[in-house]
Amino acid sequence: MARVFCVVNQKGGVGKTTTTVNLAAGLALTGQRVLMVDLDPQGNATMGSGIDKRALALSVYDVLLESASVAEARVRSEKGGYDLLGANRELAGAEVELVGLERRDQRLRGALQAVAGEYDFVLIDCPPSLSLLTLNGLCSAHGVIVPMQCEYFALEGLSDLVNTIKQVHANLNRELQVIGLLRVMFDPRITLQNQVSEQLKAHFGDKVFDTVIPRNVRLAEAPSYGQPGVVFDPSSKGAMAFVAFARELVRRVDSL
Ligand code: ADP
Ligand code: MG
């Protein structure tokens, strides 16, 4: 059965989508069967997987509104080596449309259960908010992966996120746990980043992944070629870090 992980951080531009896309491709490279779910109306994870979001016949929107199954709506990312449940602007409306419906926070969970036997990992790229879309992600997941930049305000937002995860765990999804914090866009030459990194380790201990993702321009260039960075330039430092991270995650999951 698939392990379902959400990539969450309510801040924008912290590296969620880059993490989801490259982890998905990294896991695929190591032989894992992966489904990636794009839960952000911006559709960046969809585009970064080489799928044109404007051309999607069906998307995660249709799945949330229960007008399509995951099996019907998923497409193959040939570049990434994984399946994708894509997203586009239409998803922005789902938030409003779901509010009046029953089980509004459990829609994705129900839909994913039907395909859980076909995958080793399901990775969900969440939008930059703690919204009903993110809640659908958290209710579907066994674990949360939090990418973060080692900057001054990084720790502040983290307590809101940890509280949300605690509430979801207490009230909606007993399986949910924080798998780990991933340091991304890391630049070891910057003293502050090293300090925050040490603070993170002091505070969260082994919940901080050993792998560190460096700031690397190849990772930023890859989406414009419709490819995950690990495929676009496998020998780049960023790509190698994400493949190492995929391996670390598999080890951690095996020991859970
Ligand atoms: P989010 O999904 O949290 O909004 P993104 O993954 O889209 O964040 O990243 C924000 C921006 O930073 C993007 O332009 C992306 O290409 C760039 N980026 C992300 N990770 C790295 C990295 N390790 N090195 C360089 N640029 C990165
Ligand atoms: Mg994103």
Side-chain angles (χ1 to χ4, degrees):
M1 291 299 254
R3 301 279 186 153
V4 183
F5 296 136
C6 261
V7 179
V8 185
N9 189 322
Q10 72 274 33
K11 293 190 185 182
V14 294
K16 289 180 293 297
T17 298
T18 305
T19 298
T20 316
V21 168
N22 285 287
L23 179 58
L27 287 167
L29 279 177
T30 61
Q32 307 286 332
R33 299 168 302 163
V34 182
L35 172 68
M36 188 174 84
V37 180
D38 188 353
L39 260 190
D40 188 337
Q42 291 182 80
N44 293 344
T46 301
M47 297 296 279
S49 301
I51 305 294
D52 185 354
K53 63 183 177 184
R54 292 155 300 220
L56 287 173
L58 293 167
S59 70
V60 69
Y61 169 85
D62 301 282
V63 170
L64 288 171
L65 290 174
E66 296 180 346
S67 57
S69 66
V70 175
E72 288 164 339
R74 68 187 165 193
V75 295
R76 182 75 181 165
S77 166
E78 295 295 345
K79 287 289 179 199
Y82 49 80
D83 288 349
L84 168 74
L85 191 50
N88 54 31
R89 284 179 55 199
E90 213 180 12
L91 183 59
E95 192 91 29
V96 178
E97 291 169 62
L98 282 171
V99 162
L101 304 180
E102 59 183 48
R103 298 179 297 101
R104 61 187 175 209
D105 47 12
Q106 303 287 340
R107 295 290 177 113
L108 185 62
R109 181 191 183 95
L112 287 176
Q113 273 163 358
V115 296
E118 297 176 46
Y119 299 102
D120 301 304
F121 288 91
V122 176
L123 301 178
I124 305 172
D125 185 31
C126 288
S129 61
L130 298 175
S131 60
L132 188 50
L133 290 173
T134 299
L135 198 56
N136 262 277
L138 292 173
C139 285
S140 309
H142 302 113
V144 178
I145 296 167
V146 184
M148 46 188 311
Q149 289 174 260
C150 291
E151 285 174 354
Y152 184 65
F153 289 115
L155 292 164
E156 241 178 46
L158 211 53
S159 55
D160 288 342
L161 179 56
V162 168
N163 281 334
T164 301
I165 292 167
K166 278 189 185 152
Q167 280 182 25
V168 172
H169 179 264
N171 301 308
L172 295 167
N173 177 7
R174 299 297 299 179
E175 288 182 308
L176 189 67
Q177 54 176 306
V178 175
I179 303 298
L181 307 178
L182 177 66
R183 291 163 286 173
V184 299
M185 297 190 226
F186 192 77
D187 184 344
R189 292 166 302 183
I190 299 176
T191 308
L192 177 65
Q193 294 210 1
N194 286 299
Q195 287 169 348
V196 173
S197 176
E198 288 310 312
Q199 278 177 11
L200 274 182
K201 281 199 279 188
H203 203 87
F204 293 97
D206 62 6
K207 286 284 180 197
V208 181
F209 289 109
D210 295 331
T211 311
V212 177
I213 309 297
R215 183 171 283 283
N216 179 242
V217 68
R218 302 301 271 169
L219 290 174
E221 288 168 351
S224 61
Y225 295 87
Q227 296 181 28
V230 301
V231 177
F232 174 60
D233 185 355
S235 63
S236 64
K237 285 203 167 123
M240 291 195 294
F242 271 115
V243 173
F245 176 52
R247 294 217 161 87
E248 181 182 357
L249 186 71
V250 170
R251 281 199 306 278
R252 278 202 186 216
V253 164
D254 285 343
S255 66
L256 281 180

